């Protein structure tokens, strides 16, 4: 597929401005604490790297990888942990950072799993939100942009492991 077939939805400048706004809000709300920022691999790695560099509070960093049970599709149902975090979170403020909320299945499952470890608090920051695709009720605490039901790539998001490196978010067309 040629890059020319992809329309830019969010430019680097738009993303940068929005990430700073989110970081400012998060910094205010976490003032006096040292949250553990948990990135969901792989999609969140670019967003998380930008977000933490704009925080005004100290934070710890860890990563988790989730895998769907059953078929290989992203939204087949319950999830299990593919790679766990290495940090104990009991009594800790945890901020999960994810690339996109789609059906809501991944994050609702992940929050449930991590809650069993008794963190002091657990919140979710998602770069993108496709609200109309929800299958289970789920609200992220912080959202970069809400988008309609388009498949998007870039800024960490992929299609079959491609296009994660784009510095902006583009709409993938003609994917079949
Ligand atoms: P849920 O469980 O909320 O899953 O359905 C969210 C996961 O689905 C993937 N996803 C996308 N990935 N462009 C992508 O690159 C998209 O438009 C998109 N929509 C959903 C993604 O892996 C996310 O973590
Ligand atoms: Mg993902």
């Amino acid at each position: 597929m040629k890059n020319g077939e992809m329309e830019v939805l969010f430019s680097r400048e738009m993303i940068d401005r929005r990430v700073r706004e989110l970081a400012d809000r998060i910094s205010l709300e976490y003032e006096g604490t040292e949250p553990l920022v948990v990135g969901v691999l792989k999609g969140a790695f670019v967003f998380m790297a930008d977000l933490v560099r704009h925080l005004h509070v100290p934070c710890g960093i860890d990563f988790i990888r989730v895998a769907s049970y059953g078929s290989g599709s992203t939204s087949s149902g319950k999830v299990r942990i593919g790679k766990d975090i290495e940090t104990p979170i009991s009594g800790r403020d945890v901020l999960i950072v994810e690339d996109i909320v789609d059906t809501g299945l991944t994050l609702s499952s992940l929050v449930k799993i991590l809650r069993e470890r008794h963190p002091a608090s657990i919140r979710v920051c998602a770069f993108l939100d496709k609200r109309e695709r929800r299958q289970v009720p789920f609200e992220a605490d912080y959202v970069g942009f809400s988008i309609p039901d388009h498949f998007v790539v870039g800024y960490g998001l992929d299609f079959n492991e491609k296009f994660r490196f784009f510095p902006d978010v583009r709409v993938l067309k003609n994917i079949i």
Side-chain angles (χ1 to χ4, degrees), residues 59-144:
C59 66
I61 301 288
D62 210 331
F63 292 95
I64 198 162
R65 171 142 210 166
V66 291
S68 321
Y69 280 115
S71 84
S73 98
T74 44
S75 301
S76 58
K78 275 191 133 15
V79 300
R80 63 182 172 80
I81 293 179
K83 178 230 169 286
D84 206 343
I85 48 173
E86 292 157 10
T87 318
I89 57 169
S90 172
R92 192 94 192 253
D93 295 299
V94 172
L95 179 65
I96 300 174
V97 176
E98 170 66 305
D99 54 358
I100 185 165
V101 195
D102 188 38
T103 61
L105 289 162
T106 306
L107 280 167
S108 58
S109 239
L110 186 56
V111 166
K112 218 159 150 198
I113 291 168
L114 293 184
R115 224 177 235 141
E116 284 166 12
R117 301 181 192 176
H118 309 291
S121 70
I122 184 156
R123 288 188 196 165
V124 173
C125 177
F127 176 57
L128 300 174
D129 189 353
K130 279 189 199 171
R131 311 187 66 93
E132 65 193 74
R133 294 254 313 158
R134 245 8 147 265
Q135 286 175 23
V136 290
F138 182 84
E139 283 290 330
D141 301 274
Y142 309 97
V143 171

Coordinates of all heavy atoms in Angstrom, one line a residue, residues 59-144:
C59 N 7.3 9.8 38.0 CA 6.5 8.6 37.8 C 7.5 7.4 37.5 O 8.6 7.5 37.1 CB 5.6 8.7 36.6 SG 6.4 8.9 35.0
G60 N 6.9 6.2 37.8 CA 7.6 5.0 37.4 C 7.1 4.5 36.1 O 6.0 5.0 35.7
I61 N 7.8 3.6 35.4 CA 7.4 3.2 34.1 C 7.4 1.7 34.1 O 8.4 1.0 34.6 CB 8.5 3.6 33.1 CG1 8.6 5.2 33.0 CG2 8.2 3.1 31.7 CD1 7.5 5.9 32.4
D62 N 6.4 1.1 33.5 CA 6.4 -0.4 33.3 C 5.5 -0.6 32.0 O 4.8 0.3 31.6 CB 5.9 -1.1 34.5 CG 6.5 -2.5 34.6 OD1 6.9 -3.1 33.6 OD2 6.7 -3.0 35.8
F63 N 5.6 -1.9 31.6 CA 4.8 -2.2 30.4 C 4.1 -3.6 30.6 O 4.6 -4.4 31.3 CB 5.8 -2.4 29.2 CG 6.3 -1.1 28.7 CD1 7.6 -0.7 29.2 CD2 5.6 -0.2 27.9 CE1 8.1 0.5 28.8 CE2 6.1 1.0 27.5 CZ 7.4 1.4 28.0
I64 N 3.0 -3.7 29.9 CA 2.2 -4.9 30.0 C 1.8 -5.3 28.6 O 1.6 -4.4 27.8 CB 1.0 -4.8 31.0 CG1 0.5 -6.1 31.4 CG2 -0.1 -3.9 30.3 CD1 -0.4 -6.0 32.7
R65 N 1.7 -6.6 28.4 CA 1.2 -7.0 27.0 C 0.0 -7.9 27.2 O 0.0 -8.8 28.0 CB 2.3 -7.7 26.3 CG 1.9 -8.4 25.1 CD 2.9 -8.3 24.0 NE 2.2 -8.2 22.8 CZ 2.8 -7.9 21.6 NH1 4.0 -7.6 21.6 NH2 2.0 -7.9 20.5
V66 N -1.1 -7.6 26.5 CA -2.3 -8.4 26.7 C -2.5 -9.2 25.4 O -2.1 -8.7 24.3 CB -3.5 -7.6 27.0 CG1 -3.5 -7.0 28.4 CG2 -3.8 -6.5 26.0
A67 N -3.1 -10.3 25.5 CA -3.4 -11.2 24.4 C -4.9 -11.6 24.5 O -5.3 -11.8 25.6 CB -2.5 -12.4 24.3
S68 N -5.5 -11.7 23.4 CA -7.0 -12.1 23.4 C -7.0 -13.7 23.5 O -6.2 -14.3 22.9 CB -7.7 -11.7 22.2 OG -7.3 -10.4 21.8
Y69 N -7.9 -14.2 24.2 CA -8.2 -15.6 24.2 C -8.9 -15.9 22.9 O -9.5 -15.0 22.3 CB -9.2 -16.0 25.3 CG -8.5 -16.1 26.7 CD1 -8.8 -15.3 27.7 CD2 -7.6 -17.2 26.9 CE1 -8.2 -15.4 28.9 CE2 -7.0 -17.3 28.1 CZ -7.3 -16.4 29.2 OH -6.7 -16.5 30.4
G70 N -8.9 -17.1 22.5 CA -9.6 -17.6 21.3 C -9.0 -17.1 20.0 O -7.7 -17.2 19.9
S71 N -9.7 -16.6 19.1 CA -9.3 -16.3 17.7 C -8.2 -15.2 17.8 O -8.1 -14.5 18.8 CB -10.4 -15.8 16.9 OG -10.6 -14.4 17.1
G72 N -7.5 -15.0 16.8 CA -6.4 -13.9 16.8 C -6.9 -12.5 16.7 O -6.2 -11.6 16.7
S73 N -8.2 -12.3 16.5 CA -8.7 -11.0 16.3 C -8.6 -10.1 17.6 O -8.5 -10.6 18.7 CB -10.2 -11.0 15.9 OG -11.0 -10.8 17.0
T74 N -8.5 -8.8 17.4 CA -8.2 -7.9 18.5 C -9.3 -7.9 19.6 O -9.1 -7.6 20.7 CB -8.0 -6.5 18.1 OG1 -9.0 -6.2 17.1 CG2 -6.6 -6.3 17.5
S75 N -10.5 -8.2 19.2 CA -11.6 -7.9 20.1 C -12.5 -9.2 20.3 O -13.7 -9.1 20.2 CB -12.5 -6.8 19.6 OG -11.7 -5.7 19.4
S76 N -11.8 -10.3 20.5 CA -12.6 -11.6 20.5 C -13.2 -11.8 21.9 O -14.1 -12.7 22.0 CB -11.7 -12.8 20.2 OG -10.6 -12.8 21.1
G77 N -12.9 -11.1 22.9 CA -13.5 -11.3 24.2 C -12.6 -11.0 25.3 O -11.9 -10.0 25.4
K78 N -12.4 -12.0 26.2 CA -11.6 -11.8 27.4 C -10.1 -11.8 27.0 O -9.7 -12.3 26.0 CB -11.8 -13.0 28.4 CG -13.0 -12.8 29.3 CD -13.0 -13.8 30.4 CE -13.2 -13.4 31.8 NZ -13.6 -12.3 32.3
V79 N -9.3 -11.1 27.8 CA -7.9 -11.1 27.6 C -7.1 -11.7 28.7 O -7.6 -11.9 29.8 CB -7.4 -9.6 27.4 CG1 -8.1 -8.9 26.3 CG2 -7.5 -8.8 28.7
R80 N -5.9 -12.2 28.3 CA -5.0 -12.6 29.4 C -3.7 -11.8 29.2 O -3.5 -11.1 28.2 CB -4.7 -14.1 29.2 CG -4.0 -14.4 27.9 CD -3.8 -15.9 27.6 NE -3.4 -16.1 26.3 CZ -2.1 -16.0 25.9 NH1 -1.2 -15.6 26.7 NH2 -1.8 -16.1 24.6
I81 N -2.9 -11.9 30.2 CA -1.6 -11.2 30.2 C -0.6 -11.9 29.4 O -0.3 -13.1 29.7 CB -1.2 -10.8 31.6 CG1 -2.2 -9.9 32.3 CG2 0.2 -10.3 31.6 CD1 -1.8 -9.5 33.7
G82 N 0.0 -11.3 28.4 CA 1.0 -11.9 27.6 C 2.4 -11.7 28.3 O 3.2 -12.6 28.4
K83 N 2.6 -10.4 28.7 CA 3.8 -10.1 29.4 C 3.4 -9.2 30.6 O 2.7 -8.2 30.3 CB 4.8 -9.3 28.5 CG 6.0 -8.8 29.2 CD 6.3 -7.3 28.9 CE 7.4 -6.7 29.8 NZ 7.0 -6.5 31.2
D84 N 3.7 -9.6 31.8 CA 3.2 -8.8 32.9 C 4.2 -7.7 33.3 O 5.3 -7.6 32.8 CB 3.1 -9.8 34.1 CG 2.1 -9.4 35.1 OD1 1.7 -8.2 35.1 OD2 1.7 -10.2 36.0
I85 N 3.7 -6.7 34.1 CA 4.5 -5.7 34.6 C 5.5 -6.3 35.6 O 5.2 -7.4 36.2 CB 3.7 -4.6 35.3 CG1 2.6 -5.1 36.3 CG2 3.1 -3.7 34.3 CD1 1.9 -4.1 37.1
E86 N 6.6 -5.6 35.9 CA 7.6 -6.2 36.8 C 7.5 -5.5 38.2 O 8.4 -5.7 39.1 CB 9.0 -6.1 36.2 CG 9.1 -7.0 35.0 CD 10.1 -6.6 34.0 OE1 10.9 -5.7 34.3 OE2 10.2 -7.2 32.9
T87 N 6.6 -4.5 38.3 CA 6.6 -3.7 39.5 C 5.4 -4.1 40.4 O 4.3 -4.2 39.9 CB 6.4 -2.2 39.1 OG1 7.2 -1.9 38.0 CG2 6.7 -1.2 40.2
P88 N 5.6 -4.2 41.7 CA 4.4 -4.5 42.6 C 3.6 -3.2 42.6 O 4.1 -2.1 42.7 CB 5.1 -4.7 44.0 CG 6.5 -4.8 43.8 CD 6.9 -4.2 42.5
I89 N 2.3 -3.4 42.6 CA 1.4 -2.2 42.5 C 0.5 -2.0 43.8 O -0.3 -1.1 43.8 CB 0.6 -2.1 41.3 CG1 -0.3 -3.4 41.1 CG2 1.4 -1.9 40.0 CD1 -1.4 -3.3 40.1
S90 N 0.7 -2.9 44.8 CA -0.2 -2.8 45.9 C 0.1 -1.4 46.6 O 1.3 -1.0 46.9 CB 0.2 -3.9 46.9 OG -0.5 -3.7 48.1
G91 N -0.9 -0.6 46.8 CA -0.8 0.7 47.4 C -0.3 1.8 46.5 O -0.1 2.9 46.9
R92 N -0.1 1.5 45.3 CA 0.5 2.4 44.3 C -0.6 3.0 43.4 O -1.6 2.4 43.1 CB 1.4 1.6 43.4 CG 2.3 2.5 42.6 CD 3.7 2.7 43.2 NE 4.4 3.8 42.5 CZ 5.5 3.5 41.8 NH1 6.0 2.3 41.7 NH2 6.1 4.5 41.1
D93 N -0.4 4.3 43.0 CA -1.3 4.9 42.0 C -0.9 4.4 40.6 O 0.2 4.7 40.2 CB -1.3 6.4 42.1 CG -1.8 6.9 43.4 OD1 -3.0 6.6 43.7 OD2 -1.1 7.5 44.2
V94 N -1.8 3.8 39.9 CA -1.5 3.2 38.6 C -2.2 4.0 37.5 O -3.4 4.2 37.6 CB -1.8 1.7 38.5 CG1 -1.7 1.2 37.1 CG2 -1.0 0.9 39.5
L95 N -1.5 4.4 36.5 CA -2.1 5.0 35.3 C -1.7 4.1 34.1 O -0.6 4.0 33.7 CB -1.5 6.4 35.1 CG -2.0 7.2 33.9 CD1 -3.5 7.5 34.0 CD2 -1.3 8.5 33.6
I96 N -2.8 3.5 33.6 CA -2.6 2.6 32.4 C -2.7 3.5 31.1 O -3.5 4.4 31.0 CB -3.7 1.6 32.3 CG1 -3.7 0.7 33.5 CG2 -3.6 0.8 31.0 CD1 -4.9 -0.3 33.5
V97 N -1.7 3.4 30.3 CA -1.7 4.1 29.0 C -1.9 3.2 27.8 O -1.2 2.2 27.7 CB -0.4 4.9 28.9 CG1 -0.3 5.6 27.5 CG2 -0.2 5.9 30.0
E98 N -2.9 3.5 27.0 CA -3.3 2.6 25.9 C -3.4 3.4 24.7 O -3.7 4.6 24.7 CB -4.6 1.9 26.3 CG -5.3 1.1 25.2 CD -4.6 -0.1 24.7 OE1 -3.4 0.0 24.3 OE2 -5.2 -1.2 24.7
D99 N -3.2 2.8 23.5 CA -3.3 3.5 22.2 C -4.7 3.9 21.9 O -5.0 5.0 21.5 CB -2.6 2.8 21.1 CG -3.1 1.3 20.9 OD1 -4.0 0.9 21.7 OD2 -2.7 0.7 20.0
I100 N -5.7 2.9 22.0 CA -7.0 3.2 21.6 C -8.0 2.3 22.3 O -7.7 1.1 22.6 CB -7.1 2.9 20.0 CG1 -8.5 3.3 19.4 CG2 -6.7 1.5 19.6 CD1 -8.5 3.5 17.9
V101 N -9.2 2.9 22.6 CA -10.3 2.1 23.2 C -11.2 1.8 22.1 O -11.7 2.8 21.4 CB -11.1 2.8 24.3 CG1 -11.9 1.8 25.1 CG2 -10.2 3.5 25.3
D102 N -11.5 0.6 21.8 CA -12.4 0.2 20.7 C -13.7 -0.4 21.3 O -14.6 0.3 21.7 CB -11.6 -0.7 19.8 CG -12.3 -1.1 18.5 OD1 -12.9 -0.2 17.9 OD2 -12.2 -2.2 18.1
T103 N -13.7 -1.8 21.4 CA -14.9 -2.4 22.0 C -14.9 -2.2 23.5 O -15.9 -2.3 24.1 CB -14.8 -3.9 21.7 OG1 -13.7 -4.4 22.3 CG2 -14.9 -4.2 20.3
G104 N -13.8 -1.9 24.1 CA -13.7 -1.7 25.5 C -13.3 -3.0 26.3 O -13.0 -3.0 27.5
L105 N -13.2 -4.1 25.5 CA -13.0 -5.4 26.2 C -11.6 -5.5 26.8 O -11.4 -6.0 27.9 CB -13.2 -6.5 25.1 CG -14.6 -6.8 24.7 CD1 -14.7 -7.6 23.4 CD2 -15.4 -7.5 25.8
T106 N -10.6 -5.0 26.0 CA -9.2 -5.1 26.6 C -9.1 -4.3 27.9 O -8.6 -4.9 28.9 CB -8.2 -4.5 25.5 OG1 -8.4 -5.2 24.3 CG2 -6.8 -4.7 26.0
L107 N -9.5 -3.1 27.9 CA -9.2 -2.3 29.0 C -10.1 -2.7 30.2 O -9.6 -2.6 31.4 CB -9.4 -0.8 28.7 CG -8.1 -0.2 28.0 CD1 -8.4 1.1 27.4 CD2 -6.9 -0.1 29.0
S108 N -11.3 -3.0 30.0 CA -12.2 -3.4 31.1 C -11.6 -4.7 31.8 O -11.6 -4.8 33.0 CB -13.6 -3.6 30.7 OG -13.8 -4.5 29.7
S109 N -11.1 -5.6 31.0 CA -10.5 -6.8 31.5 C -9.2 -6.5 32.2 O -9.0 -7.0 33.3 CB -10.1 -7.7 30.3 OG -10.7 -8.9 30.3
L110 N -8.4 -5.7 31.6 CA -7.1 -5.3 32.2 C -7.2 -4.6 33.5 O -6.5 -4.9 34.5 CB -6.3 -4.5 31.2 CG -4.9 -4.1 31.6 CD1 -4.1 -5.4 31.8 CD2 -4.2 -3.3 30.5
V111 N -8.2 -3.7 33.6 CA -8.4 -2.9 34.9 C -8.8 -3.9 36.0 O -8.4 -3.8 37.1 CB -9.4 -1.8 34.7 CG1 -9.9 -1.3 36.0 CG2 -8.9 -0.7 33.8
K112 N -9.7 -4.9 35.6 CA -10.1 -5.9 36.5 C -9.0 -6.7 37.1 O -8.8 -6.9 38.3 CB -11.1 -6.8 35.8 CG -12.3 -7.2 36.7 CD -13.4 -7.6 35.8 CE -14.3 -8.7 36.2 NZ -15.0 -9.3 35.0
I113 N -8.1 -7.1 36.2 CA -7.0 -8.0 36.6 C -6.0 -7.2 37.5 O -5.6 -7.7 38.5 CB -6.2 -8.4 35.3 CG1 -7.0 -9.4 34.5 CG2 -4.8 -9.0 35.7 CD1 -6.5 -9.7 33.1
L114 N -5.7 -5.9 37.2 CA -4.8 -5.2 38.0 C -5.4 -4.7 39.3 O -4.7 -4.6 40.3 CB -4.3 -4.0 37.2 CG -3.4 -4.3 36.0 CD1 -2.9 -3.0 35.4 CD2 -2.2 -5.2 36.4
R115 N -6.7 -4.6 39.3 CA -7.4 -4.2 40.6 C -7.3 -5.2 41.7 O -7.2 -4.9 42.8 CB -8.9 -3.9 40.3 CG -9.4 -2.7 41.0 CD -10.8 -2.3 40.7 NE -10.8 -1.0 40.2 CZ -11.6 -0.5 39.2 NH1 -12.4 -1.4 38.6 NH2 -11.6 0.7 38.8
E116 N -7.2 -6.5 41.2 CA -7.0 -7.6 42.2 C -5.7 -7.5 42.9 O -5.5 -8.1 44.0 CB -7.1 -8.9 41.5 CG -8.5 -9.3 41.1 CD -8.6 -10.4 40.1 OE1 -7.6 -11.1 39.8 OE2 -9.7 -10.6 39.5
R117 N -4.8 -6.7 42.5 CA -3.5 -6.5 43.1 C -3.5 -5.3 44.1 O -2.5 -4.9 44.6 CB -2.4 -6.3 42.1 CG -2.3 -7.5 41.2 CD -1.2 -7.3 40.2 NE -1.3 -8.3 39.1 CZ -0.5 -8.3 38.0 NH1 0.5 -7.4 37.9 NH2 -0.7 -9.3 37.1
H118 N -4.7 -4.8 44.3 CA -4.9 -3.7 45.3 C -4.0 -2.4 45.2 O -3.4 -2.0 46.1 CB -4.7 -4.3 46.7 CG -5.6 -5.5 47.0 ND1 -6.9 -5.5 47.0 CD2 -5.2 -6.8 47.1 CE1 -7.4 -6.7 47.2 NE2 -6.4 -7.5 47.3
P119 N -4.1 -1.9 44.0 CA -3.4 -0.5 43.8 C -4.2 0.5 44.6 O -5.4 0.3 44.9 CB -3.5 -0.3 42.3 CG -4.7 -1.0 41.9 CD -4.8 -2.3 42.7
A120 N -3.5 1.6 45.0 CA -4.2 2.7 45.7 C -5.3 3.3 44.8 O -6.4 3.6 45.2 CB -3.2 3.8 46.1
S121 N -5.0 3.4 43.5 CA -5.9 3.9 42.5 C -5.5 3.4 41.1 O -4.4 3.0 40.9 CB -6.0 5.4 42.5 OG -4.8 5.9 41.9
I122 N -6.5 3.3 40.2 CA -6.2 2.9 38.9 C -7.0 3.7 37.9 O -8.2 3.8 38.0 CB -6.4 1.4 38.7 CG1 -5.9 0.9 37.4 CG2 -7.8 0.9 39.0 CD1 -5.6 -0.6 37.4
R123 N -6.3 4.4 37.0 CA -6.9 5.2 36.0 C -6.4 4.8 34.6 O -5.3 4.2 34.5 CB -6.7 6.7 36.2 CG -7.5 7.2 37.4 CD -7.4 8.7 37.5 NE -7.7 9.1 38.8 CZ -7.5 10.4 39.3 NH1 -6.8 11.2 38.5 NH2 -7.9 10.7 40.5
V124 N -7.1 5.2 33.6 CA -6.7 4.9 32.2 C -6.6 6.2 31.4 O -7.5 7.0 31.4 CB -7.7 3.9 31.6 CG1 -7.4 3.7 30.1 CG2 -7.8 2.6 32.3
C125 N -5.5 6.3 30.7 CA -5.3 7.3 29.7 C -5.2 6.7 28.3 O -4.3 5.9 28.1 CB -4.1 8.1 30.0 SG -3.7 9.4 28.8
A126 N -6.2 7.0 27.4 CA -6.2 6.4 26.1 C -5.9 7.5 25.1 O -6.6 8.6 25.2 CB -7.5 5.7 25.8
F127 N -5.0 7.3 24.1 CA -4.8 8.3 23.1 C -6.0 8.5 22.2 O -6.4 9.7 22.0 CB -3.6 7.9 22.3 CG -3.2 8.8 21.1 CD1 -3.0 10.1 21.4 CD2 -3.2 8.3 19.8 CE1 -2.7 11.0 20.3 CE2 -2.9 9.1 18.8 CZ -2.7 10.5 19.0
L128 N -6.6 7.4 21.8 CA -7.8 7.5 21.0 C -9.0 6.8 21.5 O -8.8 5.8 22.3 CB -7.5 7.0 19.5 CG -6.4 7.7 18.8 CD1 -6.1 6.9 17.5 CD2 -6.7 9.1 18.5
D129 N -10.2 7.2 21.2 CA -11.4 6.5 21.6 C -12.4 6.4 20.5 O -12.8 7.4 19.9 CB -12.0 7.4 22.8 CG -13.1 6.6 23.5 OD1 -13.5 5.6 23.1 OD2 -13.6 7.2 24.5
K130 N -12.8 5.1 20.2 CA -13.8 4.9 19.2 C -15.1 4.6 19.9 O -15.4 3.4 20.1 CB -13.4 3.7 18.3 CG -12.5 4.0 17.2 CD -12.4 2.7 16.3 CE -11.2 2.7 15.5 NZ -11.0 1.4 14.8
R131 N -15.8 5.6 20.4 CA -16.9 5.3 21.3 C -18.0 4.5 20.7 O -18.6 3.7 21.4 CB -17.5 6.7 21.8 CG -16.5 7.6 22.3 CD -17.1 8.8 22.8 NE -17.8 8.5 24.0 CZ -17.3 8.6 25.3 NH1 -16.1 9.0 25.4 NH2 -18.0 8.2 26.3
E132 N -18.3 4.7 19.4 CA -19.4 4.0 18.8 C -19.2 2.5 18.6 O -20.1 1.8 18.3 CB -19.8 4.6 17.5 CG -18.8 4.5 16.4 CD -19.0 5.4 15.2 OE1 -18.9 6.6 15.3 OE2 -19.4 4.9 14.1
R133 N -18.0 2.0 18.9 CA -17.7 0.6 18.7 C -17.8 -0.2 20.1 O -17.6 -1.4 20.1 CB -16.2 0.4 18.2 CG -16.1 1.0 16.8 CD -16.0 -0.1 15.8 NE -15.0 -1.1 16.3 CZ -15.0 -2.4 15.8 NH1 -15.9 -2.7 14.9 NH2 -14.1 -3.2 16.3
R134 N -18.1 0.5 21.1 CA -18.1 -0.2 22.4 C -19.1 -1.4 22.5 O -20.2 -1.3 22.0 CB -18.6 0.8 23.5 CG -17.8 1.3 24.5 CD -16.4 1.0 24.7 NE -15.8 2.1 25.3 CZ -15.2 3.1 24.6 NH1 -15.0 3.0 23.3 NH2 -14.8 4.2 25.3
Q135 N -18.6 -2.5 23.1 CA -19.4 -3.7 23.3 C -19.7 -3.8 24.8 O -20.6 -4.5 25.2 CB -18.7 -4.9 22.8 CG -18.8 -5.0 21.3 CD -18.0 -6.2 20.8 OE1 -17.8 -7.2 21.5 NE2 -17.6 -6.2 19.6
V136 N -18.8 -3.3 25.6 CA -19.0 -3.3 27.1 C -18.8 -1.8 27.6 O -18.0 -1.1 27.0 CB -18.0 -4.2 27.8 CG1 -18.3 -5.6 27.5 CG2 -16.5 -3.9 27.5
P137 N -19.5 -1.4 28.6 CA -19.3 0.0 29.0 C -17.9 0.2 29.6 O -17.5 -0.6 30.4 CB -20.4 0.1 30.2 CG -21.0 -1.2 30.4 CD -20.4 -2.2 29.4
F138 N -17.3 1.2 29.0 CA -15.9 1.5 29.5 C -15.6 2.9 29.2 O -15.8 3.4 28.1 CB -14.8 0.6 28.9 CG -13.5 0.9 29.5 CD1 -13.1 0.4 30.7 CD2 -12.7 1.9 28.9 CE1 -11.9 0.8 31.2 CE2 -11.5 2.3 29.4 CZ -11.1 1.7 30.6
E139 N -15.2 3.7 30.2 CA -14.8 5.1 30.1 C -13.4 5.3 30.5 O -13.1 5.0 31.7 CB -15.7 6.0 31.0 CG -17.1 6.2 30.5 CD -17.2 7.1 29.3 OE1 -16.3 8.0 29.1 OE2 -18.1 6.9 28.5
A140 N -12.6 5.8 29.6 CA -11.2 6.1 30.0 C -11.3 7.4 30.8 O -12.1 8.2 30.6 CB -10.3 6.2 28.8
D141 N -10.3 7.6 31.8 CA -10.3 8.8 32.6 C -9.8 10.0 31.8 O -10.2 11.1 32.0 CB -9.5 8.6 33.8 CG -10.0 7.4 34.6 OD1 -10.9 7.7 35.4 OD2 -9.6 6.3 34.5
Y142 N -8.8 9.7 30.9 CA -8.3 10.7 30.0 C -8.2 10.2 28.6 O -7.8 9.1 28.4 CB -6.8 11.0 30.4 CG -6.6 11.3 31.9 CD1 -6.2 10.3 32.8 CD2 -6.9 12.6 32.4 CE1 -6.1 10.5 34.1 CE2 -6.8 12.8 33.8 CZ -6.4 11.8 34.6 OH -6.2 12.0 36.0
V143 N -8.7 11.1 27.7 CA -8.8 10.7 26.3 C -8.1 11.8 25.4 O -8.4 12.9 25.6 CB -10.2 10.4 25.8 CG1 -10.3 10.2 24.3 CG2 -10.8 9.2 26.5
G144 N -7.2 11.4 24.5 CA -6.6 12.3 23.6 C -7.6 12.8 22.6 O -8.0 14.0 22.6

